[in-house]
């Protein structure tokens, strides 16, 4: 787990709902159970400031970092997709983008990654497709100095076949099955989330740390599907879609671990002056 990714997870899952800012000392303390050292945290924070995700703030206890409006929008969108709080209806239309060749490998890779995050699949060298228009796509194109012709289309053949081909659902389904197998190991007694007997062998403080660390890994690995799963409407997915079972497992265990994990977060923030 990289420090930058862990910070996005931390802000999205906990800090966002606690005012959106935290002292740097609390960030260091909160990433320590994940094996991330203080220098890596500070470097990642500085990078996120340069990229416009965080901004320095002066808190009563000293320097801290708050989410920018851009980061709030991105994290809220990510949370809606991770926890499926948004209805995914489909009117049968596709959004198409035709993008001329982007010069510069770095810019091209950033654009492609950004389009994937927003739910677009690449049909050919310059054409991208999604089952809905993303409100962020124009900002993404501007940021990379790209332009695109935009179309809404309905008659593109069998929509289920098109979705399967464009989004490589076989590969995505296999990724969900792998995630589920690994998550079951993580959430087992060996993974540290403990039965009542195991819980009795550790004090309450240690148990909150373990719950926080386990949930952090669970959420971190699940969040990777933001870059792989476009959130297709159910009508475009196979009847036995493995993402459904994986999502149910994630919901169950992320919810089960949340109270203990949240207590650890609140303890760290209170210790370092991040909570009143």
């Amino acid at each position: 787990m990289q420090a930058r990714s862990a910070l996005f997870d931390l802000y999205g899952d906990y800090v966002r709902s606690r005012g959106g800012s935290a002292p740097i000392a609390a960030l260091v303390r909160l990433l320590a159970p994940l094996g991330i050292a203080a220098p890596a945290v500070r470097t990642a924070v500085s990078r996120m400031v340069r990229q416009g995700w965080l901004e320095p703030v002066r808190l009563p206890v000293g320097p801290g970092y708050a989410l920018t409006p851009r980061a709030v929008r991105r994290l809220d969108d990510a949370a809606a997709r991770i926890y499926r709080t948004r209805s995914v209806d489909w009117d049968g239309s596709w959004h198409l983008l035709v993008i001329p060749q982007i010069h510069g490998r770095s810019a091209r890779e950033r654009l492609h990654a950004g389009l994937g995050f927003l739910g677009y699949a690449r049909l050919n060298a310059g054409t991208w497709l999604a089952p809905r228009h993303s409100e962020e796509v124009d900002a993404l194109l501007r940021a990379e100095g790209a332009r695109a012709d935009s179309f809404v289309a309905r008659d593109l053949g069998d929509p289920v076949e098109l979705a399967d081909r464009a989004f490589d659902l076989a590969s995505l389904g296999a990724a969900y099955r792998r995630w589920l197998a690994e998550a079951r190991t993580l959430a087992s007694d060996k993974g540290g989330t403990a039965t009542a007997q195991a819980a009795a062998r550790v004090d309450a403080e240690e148990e909150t740390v373990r719950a926080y660390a386990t949930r952090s890994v669970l959420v971190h690995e699940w969040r990777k599907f933001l870059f792989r799963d476009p959130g297709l409407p159910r009508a475009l997915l196979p009847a036995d879609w493995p993402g459904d079972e994986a999502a149910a497992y994630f919901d169950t265990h992320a919810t089960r671990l949340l109270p203990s994990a949240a207590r650890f977060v609140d303890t760290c923030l209170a210790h370092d002056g991040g909570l009143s």
Side-chain angles (χ1 to χ4, degrees):
M1 190 183 301
Q2 299 297 314
R4 181 177 179 276
S5 297
L7 283 166
F8 271 113
D9 292 343
L10 175 62
Y11 272 90
D13 253 10
Y14 302 103
V15 180
R16 168 77 177 96
S17 61
R18 290 164 171 78
S21 63
I24 186 63
L27 298 177
V28 169
R29 189 180 300 274
L30 284 162
L31 266 60
L34 308 181
I36 300 173
V41 177
R42 296 179 188 277
T43 298
V45 166
S46 297
R47 183 176 300 121
M48 291 173 71
V49 169
R50 291 195 302 271
Q51 294 170 341
W53 300 113
L54 295 176
E55 57 187 1
V57 292
R58 175 60 60 175
L59 300 173
V61 294
Y65 293 88
L67 293 166
T68 63
R70 175 193 179 203
V72 169
R73 289 192 299 270
R74 174 58 64 89
L75 289 176
D76 286 353
D77 178 68
R81 293 166 60 186
I82 290 169
Y83 299 104
R84 289 168 302 287
T85 60
R86 181 181 301 160
S87 175
V88 184
D89 297 325
W90 191 52
D91 64 1
S93 63
W94 299 92
H95 185 226
L96 293 171
L97 292 170
V98 180
I99 305 173
Q101 177 67 27
I102 303 296
H103 298 290
R105 180 178 177 180
S106 295
R108 186 164 57 249
E109 290 179 348
R110 288 194 303 268
L111 179 62
H112 291 179
L115 288 170
F117 180 85
L118 296 179
Y120 289 80
R122 192 178 184 183
L123 286 180
N124 55 44
T127 305
W128 294 74
L129 168 143
R132 67 189 66 82
H133 176 269
S134 169
E135 295 180 356
E136 291 190 53
V137 73
D138 291 337
L140 172 65
L141 291 167
R142 286 195 302 272
E144 299 304 334
R147 62 179 180 84
D149 294 318
S150 176
F151 306 92
V152 175
R154 296 182 65 89
D155 188 13
L156 296 178
D158 181 351
V160 175
E161 187 279 331
L162 178 58
D164 184 47
R165 173 167 50 88
F167 295 96
D168 191 7
L169 295 184
S171 176
L172 181 59
Y176 272 122
R177 285 188 286 270
R178 287 193 300 271
W179 180 90
L180 185 57
E182 293 168 1
R184 283 173 171 153
T185 299
L186 176 67
S188 69
D189 292 351
K190 184 178 179 181
T193 57
T195 61
Q197 287 183 340
R201 294 197 293 268
V202 296
D203 60 30
E205 180 179 356
E206 182 180 346
E207 191 62 26
T208 63
V209 176
R210 291 170 62 179
Y212 166 79
T214 301
R215 189 178 188 275
S216 294
V217 175
L218 189 72
V219 171
H220 177 76
E221 294 302 319
W222 183 254
R223 196 181 292 267
K224 291 178 181 178
F225 284 106
L226 288 175
F227 296 91
R228 298 199 60 179
D229 189 335
L232 293 175
R234 193 63 186 82
L236 296 177
L237 296 171
D240 58 347
W241 181 235
D244 294 339
E245 183 180 5
Y249 192 89
F250 172 78
D251 287 345
T252 295
H253 291 279
T255 300
R256 177 177 64 83
L257 293 165
L258 180 58
S260 292
R263 283 197 294 274
F264 175 70
V265 172
D266 289 339
T267 297
C268 289
L269 290 174
H271 180 278
D272 294 301
L275 287 177
S276 58

